[in-house]
Amino acid sequence: MATGLPEHFWVPQERGRLMQFVAGKVRDEAVREDVVQETLARLISYSRRHAVENLTGLARAIATNLINDHFRAAKARPTEEIDTDLACDQPLPEQILMHRQRLDVFTDALKGMPPLRREVLIRRRVRGETCEEIGKALNLSPDAVEKHISRALRQLHDHLEKAEKKRVKYDS
């Protein structure tokens, strides 16, 4: 096909043929697209200055050269395996924000508890005291200490659940 016709007549046909040709040589879709685009640009530029009898043959020659250039350049570039570990042991900013928000909710839940219940929970869960130790210090039976702990955990759980529902509602 001679290039006496404007590009809009022959480029769509040539693009389809070229894409099939390049697909047989290159797996990466982005590279294929780049090769086809660059080939068509060079083909149009060349055909505007010179008479071309075989557009398909010239397009394949240009594409082959571009593919070879691509793989040659890829070999010349040193490659390193990407380390999937974070370079820093510090948490990401989003994680810090989430932890702060959870801590605020937890603090609000503690503030909403009766003082004795809060004291029992902190002694048991934070300080690691036994129920007997807490009972002696606060003049409570071990059973009463366990009831305070279970009620405190239920209240804490309910408060956290409400906050999570609000967050989900806000995010959506």
Side-chain angles (χ1 to χ4, degrees):
M1 165 186 337
T3 58
L5 296 172
E7 290 88 21
H8 67 272
F9 286 112
W10 57 266
V11 168
Q13 282 181 330
E14 208 53 52
R15 179 175 173 62
R17 288 188 201 122
L18 194 54
M19 188 58 86
Q20 287 179 338
F21 175 75
V22 174
K25 299 186 179 311
V26 179
R27 289 184 184 167
D28 186 344
E29 187 175 344
V31 173
R32 280 195 311 253
E33 195 63 42
D34 289 346
V35 167
V36 170
Q37 289 296 329
E38 181 63 23
T39 300
L40 288 173
R42 290 183 184 191
L43 187 61
I44 290 169
S45 175
Y46 185 84
S47 68
R48 287 179 178 168
R49 291 176 286 143
H50 304 90
V52 178
E53 291 299 318
N54 185 354
L55 282 172
T56 302
L58 181 58
R60 288 183 179 196
I62 294 170
T64 300
N65 288 336
L66 288 172
I67 292 168
N68 290 339
D69 290 347
H70 168 76
F71 286 117
R72 195 175 306 117
K75 282 182 184 178
R77 284 189 299 262
T79 58
E80 291 183 29
E81 190 171 319
I82 297 174
D83 187 11
T84 57
D85 293 335
L86 294 176
C88 174
D89 289 336
Q90 298 297 317
L92 296 172
E94 296 86 19
Q95 291 172 324
I96 293 171
L97 178 63
M98 286 175 50
H99 288 299
R100 283 184 184 160
Q101 289 172 342
R102 286 182 187 145
L103 183 60
D104 290 344
V105 169
F106 182 77
T107 303
D108 289 344
L110 283 177
K111 287 178 183 176
M113 289 182 189
L116 182 60
R117 186 178 298 167
R118 181 176 51 242
E119 178 69 22
V120 169
L121 180 67
I122 290 171
R123 284 176 174 250
R124 180 73 181 120
R125 294 297 174 136
V126 176
R127 296 182 188 148
E129 296 177 16
T130 66
C131 291
E132 291 78 20
E133 293 171 336
I134 297 169
K136 285 180 186 175
L138 300 176
N139 291 328
L140 297 171
S141 71
D143 287 341
V145 170
E146 288 180 16
K147 285 183 183 179
H148 277 292
I149 292 169
S150 66
R151 288 178 183 158
L153 291 174
R154 168 65 26 227
Q155 188 175 349
L156 183 61
H157 176 74
D158 290 346
H159 194 81
L160 293 172
E161 195 173 272
K162 286 178 188 175
E164 180 64 20
K165 285 181 183 177
K166 283 182 185 178
R167 186 193 63 77
V168 169
K169 184 177 178 182
Y170 178 75
D171 286 348
S172 56

